[in-house]
């Protein structure tokens, strides 16, 4: 198990390999399709972004409202492929890591390799457990999107697995090959 802080991702993403298990701590931003579309529009218009893409980690999640006494509600990953149209551009602008579930397109995998980034998978269907690793949550942009607004989270030992690495490893491809009958 590798313990890592998001502040180290820009440098250490290149050292991670498919199958590595990581406990990630630090600042992570939530963003899903609607927010990605708006961020892309801001980029097209040359306007300020809600957070700096360079060095950032994005969690594809739309957390539910927090119950009394909690920082955040259920916060499991959403299907990453819906962000594939935007991800190469974000990676080329310095995005260090993406967190979600499911396969990525070849264009995204190429951009991960090209930029020395990483794609992590979180356990789907375990959002109620995942929220226990989130210590802070603040809406920072697009509040009108409700649960899909952009939030700044502070992770503490959030469990992840490297699904696509910067040297061409892809757990979805290698996993299929490994278990072919």
């Amino acid at each position: 198990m590798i313990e890592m802080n998001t502040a180290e991702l820009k440098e250490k993403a290149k050292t991670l390999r498919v199958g590595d298990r990581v406990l990630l701590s630090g600042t992570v931003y939530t963003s899903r399709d609607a927010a990605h579309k708006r961020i892309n529009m801001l980029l097209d218009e040359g306007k300020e972004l809600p957070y700096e893409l360079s060095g950032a980690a994005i969690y594809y999640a739309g957390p539910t409202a927090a119950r009394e006494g909690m920082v955040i509600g259920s916060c499991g990953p959403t299907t990453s492929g819906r962000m594939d149209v935007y991800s190469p551009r974000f990676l080329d602008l310095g995005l260090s890591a993406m967190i979600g579930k499911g396969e990525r397109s070849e264009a995204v995998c190429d951009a991960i390799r090209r930029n020395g980034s990483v794609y992590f998978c979180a356990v789907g269907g375990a959002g109620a457990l995942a929220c226990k690793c989130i210590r802070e949550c603040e809406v920072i942009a697009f509040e009108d999107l409700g649960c899909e607004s952009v939030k700044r989270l502070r992770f503490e030992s959030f469990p992840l697995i490297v699904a696509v690495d910067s040297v061409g490893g892809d757990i979805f491809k290698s996993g299929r090959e490994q278990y072919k009958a």
Side-chain angles (χ1 to χ4, degrees):
M1 191 67 73
I2 300 167
E3 293 186 23
M4 185 176 294
N5 191 287
T6 55
E8 304 172 293
L9 276 173
K10 193 170 184 93
E11 177 185 325
K12 292 195 174 181
K14 296 175 184 100
T15 69
L16 297 171
R17 297 297 174 258
V18 162
D20 285 349
R21 294 180 304 152
V22 174
L23 293 175
L24 188 64
S25 299
T27 301
V28 176
Y29 300 94
T30 65
S31 190
R32 287 178 49 162
D33 8 0
H36 269 59
K37 183 177 181 179
R38 288 190 187 178
I39 291 169
N40 196 59
M41 286 173 35
L42 291 173
L43 286 168
D44 288 346
E45 296 167 1
K47 294 184 177 174
E48 187 176 344
L49 303 181
Y51 57 90
E52 176 64 40
L53 282 173
S54 184
I58 294 177
Y59 183 28
Y60 303 137
T64 62
R67 291 188 302 210
E68 189 173 330
M70 296 185 72
V71 172
I72 196 168
S74 181
C75 192
T78 196
T79 304
S80 302
R82 295 197 314 257
M83 277 53 75
D84 282 3
V85 68
Y86 307 107
S87 295
R89 183 180 194 185
F90 291 8
L91 288 159
D92 288 343
L93 291 170
L95 183 65
S96 291
M98 300 160 292
I99 303 163
K101 66 179 182 182
E103 292 184 70
R104 304 309 300 268
S105 70
E106 196 54 42
V108 172
C109 293
D110 288 345
I112 289 169
R113 287 188 294 273
R114 181 171 63 246
N115 293 289
S117 304
V118 65
Y119 169 54
F120 295 109
C121 278
V123 177
L129 292 174
C131 73
K132 295 180 181 195
C133 297
I134 300 171
R135 301 294 181 245
E136 295 174 13
C137 174
E138 175 188 8
V139 175
I140 62 167
F142 316 136
E143 191 168 0
D144 61 302
L145 295 178
C147 73
E148 292 195 37
S149 63
V150 174
K151 296 167 186 68
R152 181 176 29 246
L153 306 179
R154 185 172 58 84
F155 278 12
E156 186 175 301
S157 298
F158 196 100
L160 301 166
I161 188 164
V162 175
V164 178
D165 64 33
S166 65
V167 295
D170 183 333
I171 203 166
F172 298 99
K173 291 178 182 173
S174 59
R176 272 191 215 87
E177 289 301 316
Q178 183 178 353
Y179 295 103
K180 274 187 176 178

